[in-house]
Amino acid sequence: AQKITQTQPGMFVQEKEAVTLDCTYDTSDPSYGLFWYKQPSSGEMIFLIYQGSYDQQNATEGRYSLNFQKARKSANLVISASQLGDSAMYFCAMREENSGYSTLTFGKGTMLLVSP
Amino acid sequence: DAGVIQSPRHEVTEMGQEVTLRCKPISGHNSLFWYRQTMMRGLELLIYFNNNVPIDDSGMPEDRFSAKMPNASFSTLKIQPSEPRDSAVYFCASSQLTGAASPLHFGNGTRLTVT
């Protein structure tokens, strides 16, 4: 079974609108961390936001926020006020306690295109 | 503060040749990871080191692949002999040793093309 599932291969959004990128995860560990990364066309992997399994509040970082629904095992990324520069591939990832937090498992990614 | 540094950025080689990819992690980071990214398989963990010691190399495709970390500031991933199916982007990443909250910081990757 996949540990991280991103069901949206591609998403389109107009500039200045908000967009939600879906991510569900599978783990039996009570302690884990969830991450989102951005990969623009230039290829680098950019860390965006982190959510811990015990965090009571949803994580926020500027225009990025994470809609964490623990019971549903979902960790959706919300980008507010989209900009053209947000066009990129977005990856959801998880680090689990049973691996000593050592490895990061990635989803397949969602391609986001922001149009003017 | 310099990020993770990988070299070369691009490598084109012929089948059968040896390829060596290099990585310098962020100073003070104790964990180092090698990932491979392809369209078909996405991002795959090949191997990771904690305190220069290989912990899990179950992701290494086969014996043609080997990785070393002789010290805290340098690691190599070697493919010998290379094959066309090894063509991919290879990322090195580093993080602090402990804590689920530690993100991996990635280098810019090495795009390998084996003809």
Side-chain angles (χ1 to χ4, degrees):
Chain A
Q2 288 188 9
K3 284 189 175 288
I4 298 289
T5 302
Q6 295 180 253
T7 57
Q8 308 152 314
M11 289 286 285
F12 296 89
V13 68
Q14 277 201 312
E15 204 175 4
K16 300 180 185 176
E17 292 185 349
V19 63
T20 298
L21 306 183
D22 294 341
C23 173
T24 57
Y25 57 91
D26 181 25
T27 181
S28 57
D29 278 326
S31 181
Y32 51 89
L34 297 158
F35 301 81
W36 278 91
Y37 283 81
K38 172 183 178 182
Q39 187 177 39
S41 58
S42 51
E44 68 268 33
M45 293 286 288
I46 303 167
F47 166 65
L48 295 178
I49 195 168
Y50 159 80
Q51 179 83 45
S53 58
Y54 292 118
D55 293 343
Q56 297 296 316
Q57 305 276 350
N58 285 341
T60 61
E61 288 288 346
R63 294 185 299 108
Y64 303 109
S65 61
L66 206 152
N67 183 1
F68 181 46
Q69 298 187 44
K70 193 171 183 177
R72 294 185 174 185
K73 295 188 175 180
S74 75
N76 299 338
L77 177 69
V78 180
I79 305 175
S80 62
S82 298
Q83 302 173 355
L84 295 179
D86 293 335
S87 293
M89 196 76 167
Y90 288 81
F91 292 95
C92 179
M94 177 172 64
R95 253 181 142 167
E96 299 172 275
E97 183 177 16
N98 69 2
S99 68
Y101 299 116
S102 290
T103 61
L104 197 62
T105 304
F106 285 86
K108 297 292 186 186
T110 295
M111 175 65 75
L112 175 66
L113 290 177
V114 181
S115 60
Chain B
D1 184 23
V4 175
I5 300 172
Q6 289 187 248
S7 64
R9 285 299 308 274
H10 302 276
E11 177 80 37
V12 180
T13 191
E14 291 184 346
M15 183 173 63
Q17 297 297 308
E18 178 179 295
V19 175
T20 300
L21 311 182
R22 297 173 175 79
C23 175
K24 177 179 169 56
I26 293 172
S27 177
H29 282 188
N30 303 95
S31 295
L32 184 139
F33 306 79
W34 283 100
Y35 280 85
R36 178 171 67 175
Q37 186 178 33
T38 61
M39 288 293 292
M40 291 297 294
R41 301 174 69 89
L43 277 155
E44 302 174 279
L45 177 69
L46 299 177
I47 186 171
Y48 74 91
F49 297 82
N50 282 350
N51 292 322
N52 312 339
V53 176
I55 302 301
D56 182 0
D57 65 354
S58 59
M60 297 285 262
E62 48 199 271
D63 292 343
R64 297 184 297 106
F65 285 68
S66 62
K68 294 182 180 179
M69 193 167 185
N71 57 61
S73 59
F74 184 66
S75 177
T76 59
L77 178 68
K78 186 176 291 187
I79 308 173
Q80 166 64 20
S82 58
E83 296 182 2
R85 60 190 167 129
D86 301 330
S87 296
V89 179
Y90 291 81
F91 285 103
C92 176
S94 69
S95 78
Q96 294 178 349
L97 182 58
T98 57
S102 296
L104 270 62
H105 297 269
F106 284 78
N108 287 331
T110 295
R111 182 174 295 275
L112 173 65
T113 303
V114 183
T115 60

